[in-house]
Amino acid sequence: MGGLPRPGQDGRQGRFRLAKVRWRIEHDYRELKHGLGLDHFEGRSWPGWHHHVTLVTAAHAFLTEQRLAPKALEPVSRSTRSSMPSRTP
């Protein structure tokens, strides 16, 4: 990346692209830290920290995959029972 614009881009387009990338990184880090507990580890060992970070990263990958997956069309269910009560006297 290095802050240089891609060929065919002027300086503004390159800076805008980098700003979007930076925003995405900051958003993901905030989600890892606050939403998934990246900052909750209080252990003292490298294997414990590594295990914690690996699980948090796997959870983040799963949530990202779920967010980006196309929504499946839900089948229309035809209920045999009406949601409105009948008005027969």
Side-chain angles (χ1 to χ4, degrees), residues 23-75:
W23 180 86
R24 183 77 245 173
I25 291 169
E26 288 177 2
H27 180 271
D28 285 348
Y29 181 71
R30 192 175 358 176
E31 182 180 5
L32 284 165
K33 190 173 178 184
H34 299 291
L36 298 172
L38 182 64
D39 60 343
H40 291 173
F41 182 72
E42 295 182 7
R44 298 181 181 188
S45 69
W46 166 256
W49 178 84
H50 189 268
H51 183 250
H52 178 73
V53 169
T54 301
L55 290 176
V56 168
T57 304
H60 184 257
F62 174 78
L63 292 176
T64 301
E65 182 68 29
Q66 292 295 307
R67 185 179 71 239
L68 297 177
K71 304 292 184 237
L73 295 176
E74 295 181 19

Side-chain angles (χ1 to χ4, degrees), residues 84-89:
M84 299 289 290
S86 75
R87 295 185 169 216
T88 55

